[in-house]
Amino acid sequence: MNSQTESDEDDPVVREIPIIHSKKLEKSLHLFQFPLKRKKCKNEQNIKKCFFKPQNQEVKLEMGINMDSPNFDSGRAKNIALDVDGEEDSSKNQRYFTNQIVDKVFLQSSVAVKDPNKYAAAVFNGKEIHLTSLNGVFQFRPTFPYMEKSLKKKKDTETANESDEEQAGPSSAQQVTAKFKSNDERWKKKQEESYKFLKEKSADEPWTECKWYESHSTLSSVERLKLISDSTNEVGQAENLPNLEYIRLLVPEDQEQVPLEPTLPSNVLSLRALKALPILEQCRLLLKDAQIIQFQQLLMLLTGGGGEKFTADSLLKVLPNVAVLVRGNWVVKSEVLYPKNSFSATSGVPAELMCRARDYVLYLFTKNQYVERKKASSILKIPSDEIKEIFTGVSKLRRHNKEWELKSPTDQDFVNKHGDLAQKQSLMWEHRFHQLSEFLKDTSKSRRKSRSESKSVSEEGGGRGRNGPSFSSDNDSGTEKNSNSSKSPVAGRKNKSGVRV
């Protein structure tokens, strides 16, 4: 106490300044930042026009260029304007540069902070500090939309020339695009957060032109006065409270101490939260993230770091509910990755079809150490992106021969130690393969029937429609091939295990 008293005497309070919250501009006050402008730059920004999009919170400034500067290349500026707007006789209303020279540049805004209400603008009038919360913080950087117009103009000219050349001979080739439509709400939400969707949303809202006033103008001075609150009278609430109550309001009593955890993405669960879940849910989450894991690795993850201790026997009782055994490794079940009534994220393939395709690939790995993706793709007949997603989840590519092998090596020790469980899993895979065989046969029959009907329609229509879309097969480099002329590989094909599909 004596040392604290001495320090207070050495550093006395010389002045108390009240802080007042001003609310006049808190709904319309924005902070403009220009990170590319030098601090000692003497040239004032010559803002000609200002545009605003209230829904998307975007600002665009049109800034004039100092053409008298020794760094300004007038010849190059005229050439750029000519490339963008064309010859002099073009309509002035359609010109980008009305003076036939690049005399302006645009500054486009970007959102600097997500929650601007945490920041405020402070004004000191000599007596009080007045704070006004910000409604937005924008950073401005140059943008050159006229260059896109010039490139589009050149591209249209090249396309017109190519079309004139192609008109010399008839062509029957047509480009056909096939798309899978997904009704999953989660997939729609992801699309709404994509960059393409945000760009389209921004393009739909027109720019609203606003009047720009310089900082030294009369109207700007009047607006700055609104940063100072008219009501400066002390409320007096704090003076009527006892000292302990006032301190309790300023510093609330500590609640239950919860250790701070690092900020994680919404789809990532902390280890502390994972330990609080039942063992089955822990296995499901870990396997869904890893897809393939050895038993000892999974046991170490569940028992390490404190928490409830699991034995190998208790883990083996619940593990088959969320995983299957493939060459001694535990692989998450397809139903866990692709829940019922959902769709794949890339092409919108139904979950039922994705589960069958993935189970067929896993069965091939139970019989073969190495699997060719191209052969599996030709049998399953689903888009190549989905095939690649299935293979990359549990296996890796051997570059020298383009075959795939499991990410984890065969755990023969687990198979030898738990022979009964391995035998049950083997019988399960044989039963599952029998179900898949029936499904592939039915699919092959319907595909041959559809192909024969399409062929008869094509012959009646003079040979049209032969270049329809086909999700046939893909090589391991990621390229797709059209296989309409090839026969179905389902009937009569043998895999390495000698089982005929």
Side-chain angles (χ1 to χ4, degrees), residues 1-101:
M1 290 296 292
N2 294 333
S3 60
Q4 183 178 359
T5 305
E6 293 177 358
S7 63
D8 292 341
E9 293 177 355
D10 295 338
D11 189 14
V13 177
V14 296
R15 184 179 179 184
E16 293 185 359
I17 302 175
I19 298 177
I20 299 174
H21 184 198
S22 178
K23 300 183 179 181
K24 291 182 179 180
L25 297 178
E26 66 178 0
K27 299 298 182 181
S28 58
L29 184 61
H30 297 80
L31 177 64
F32 287 6
Q33 297 178 340
F34 301 89
L36 300 183
K37 181 182 177 181
R38 293 182 300 172
K39 184 178 181 180
K40 297 182 180 180
C41 182
K42 297 181 181 180
N43 298 329
E44 294 292 336
Q45 291 180 338
N46 185 14
I47 305 297
K48 298 293 186 180
K49 296 180 181 179
C50 176
F51 304 90
F52 183 55
K53 289 184 178 181
Q55 294 182 2
N56 291 279
Q57 289 293 298
E58 295 179 12
V59 182
K60 182 172 66 173
L61 302 178
E62 181 181 322
M63 184 175 67
I65 299 177
N66 183 14
M67 294 187 292
D68 297 331
S69 172
N71 300 322
F72 183 75
D73 189 350
S74 59
R76 179 58 179 164
K78 291 180 180 180
N79 292 336
I80 294 177
L82 182 62
D83 292 340
V84 175
D85 296 328
E87 301 296 335
E88 297 181 4
D89 56 354
S90 60
S91 175
K92 288 188 176 181
N93 295 331
Q94 298 178 357
R95 289 183 189 173
Y96 199 88
F97 301 102
T98 57
N99 297 326
Q100 301 177 9
I101 190 172

Side-chain angles (χ1 to χ4, degrees), residues 89-231:
D89 56 354
S90 60
S91 175
K92 288 188 176 181
N93 295 331
Q94 298 178 357
R95 289 183 189 173
Y96 199 88
F97 301 102
T98 57
N99 297 326
Q100 301 177 9
I101 190 172
V102 180
D103 56 353
K104 61 183 177 181
V105 67
F106 280 106
L107 300 178
Q108 184 79 29
S109 70
S110 61
V111 179
V113 294
K114 292 184 178 180
D115 191 2
N117 294 325
K118 295 180 179 179
Y119 303 89
V123 177
F124 180 59
N125 63 353
K127 297 180 180 180
E128 309 97 4
I129 295 178
H130 297 258
L131 299 180
T132 303
S133 59
L134 298 177
N135 193 41
V137 181
F138 299 116
Q139 290 185 351
F140 289 88
R141 291 175 175 81
T143 181
F144 308 95
Y146 55 86
M147 299 301 294
E148 298 178 0
K149 181 180 178 181
S150 178
L151 294 174
K152 184 177 183 299
K153 187 176 179 181
K154 291 181 180 180
K155 186 176 180 180
D156 293 341
T157 304
E158 294 175 357
T159 305
N161 295 334
E162 292 178 359
S163 62
D164 292 340
E165 295 176 359
E166 293 176 356
Q167 287 178 0
S171 176
S172 60
Q174 296 181 355
Q175 183 178 357
V176 181
T177 304
K179 294 183 179 180
F180 286 87
K181 184 177 180 181
S182 173
N183 295 324
D184 191 3
E185 294 298 331
R186 291 176 297 176
W187 175 241
K188 291 181 180 179
K189 187 176 180 181
K190 289 183 179 179
Q191 284 185 326
E192 292 178 357
E193 296 175 354
S194 64
Y195 175 77
K196 181 180 178 181
F197 179 83
L198 295 177
K199 290 292 289 184
E200 293 176 353
K201 182 181 177 182
S202 176
D204 292 340
E205 184 182 3
W207 287 106
T208 302
E209 185 172 356
C210 305
K211 183 66 175 179
W212 178 269
Y213 294 93
E214 296 295 337
S215 59
H216 53 76
S217 64
T218 304
L219 187 59
S220 296
S221 301
V222 174
E223 288 295 316
R224 279 196 295 271
L225 292 176
K226 295 180 181 180
L227 294 173
I228 300 177
S229 177
D230 295 334
S231 177

Side-chain angles (χ1 to χ4, degrees), residues 226-240:
K226 295 180 181 180
L227 294 173
I228 300 177
S229 177
D230 295 334
S231 177
T232 58
N233 297 326
E234 296 183 359
V235 179
Q237 293 180 354
E239 297 179 353
N240 299 328

Side-chain angles (χ1 to χ4, degrees), residues 299-408:
L299 187 61
M300 290 177 61
L301 286 173
L302 293 174
T303 58
E308 184 180 355
K309 301 296 182 180
F310 301 117
T311 63
D313 294 336
S314 62
L315 182 58
L316 288 175
K317 290 181 180 179
V318 298
L319 195 54
N321 295 324
V322 293
V324 291
L325 193 65
V326 179
R327 306 189 72 83
N329 299 287
W330 287 99
V331 182
V332 64
K333 284 188 174 182
S334 302
E335 293 81 4
V336 177
L337 282 181
Y338 306 103
K340 191 176 181 181
N341 299 327
S342 64
F343 300 87
S344 64
T346 53
S347 301
V349 177
E352 184 180 3
L353 184 57
M354 288 295 297
C355 290
R356 290 171 177 170
R358 187 174 183 271
D359 287 348
Y360 179 76
V361 172
L362 294 180
Y363 174 80
L364 295 180
F365 277 114
T366 62
K367 298 299 181 181
N368 309 280
Q369 185 176 359
Y370 307 111
V371 177
E372 294 185 26
R373 193 178 96 187
K374 185 177 180 181
K375 292 182 179 180
S377 178
S378 63
I379 295 177
L380 297 173
K381 297 293 182 180
I382 63 174
S384 59
D385 290 340
E386 269 64 20
I387 289 290
K388 186 176 181 180
E389 177 184 332
I390 293 173
F391 271 87
T392 54
V394 297
S395 59
K396 57 185 178 181
L397 178 63
R398 304 171 74 240
R399 295 294 179 184
H400 61 281
N401 58 1
K402 293 186 178 181
E403 290 182 334
W404 293 73
E405 62 178 343
L406 293 178
K407 292 181 179 179
S408 300

